[in-house]
Amino acid sequence: SGTTQGHILIDNIRCFGLALDKEGDLYVSDTRKDEVRRYGPGDKVGTRVAGGNGRGDRLTQLKFPAYLFVDDAG
């Protein structure tokens, strides 16, 4: 009928914000796990770059990460 099928790139995530850097890496905020992960092309697991140590306000924690900004340094 002229429609195409998509596929899931990243699953088991509650995404609120996305950002793309100049290298083509995708940054995704997960409000369920209170973390931000970076995904390179073809990467399905990603690398945690912020948070992931429970919800909170300490230096290694995030609380409902939403809006993202990636500068030139990544």
Side-chain angles (χ1 to χ4, degrees):
S1 66
T3 61
T4 59
Q5 294 290 324
H7 59 280
I8 297 172
L9 300 175
I10 304 168
D11 64 351
N12 193 24
I13 189 170
R14 184 176 291 158
C15 177
F16 194 92
L18 297 172
L20 194 63
D21 69 11
K22 64 182 181 180
E23 305 297 324
D25 292 336
L26 180 66
Y27 293 78
V28 179
S29 68
D30 186 339
T31 58
R32 180 179 298 132
K33 297 176 186 168
D34 294 303
E35 69 181 16
V36 176
R37 296 185 82 79
R38 179 182 61 228
Y39 295 86
D43 188 358
K44 298 210 182 265
V45 177
T47 302
R48 184 177 52 208
V49 295
N53 296 298
R55 182 170 285 188
D57 59 3
R58 294 188 173 181
L59 291 176
T60 62
Q61 296 176 309
L62 295 173
K63 183 176 181 181
F64 198 85
Y67 303 101
L68 302 176
F69 176 82
V70 180
D71 65 10
D72 287 340

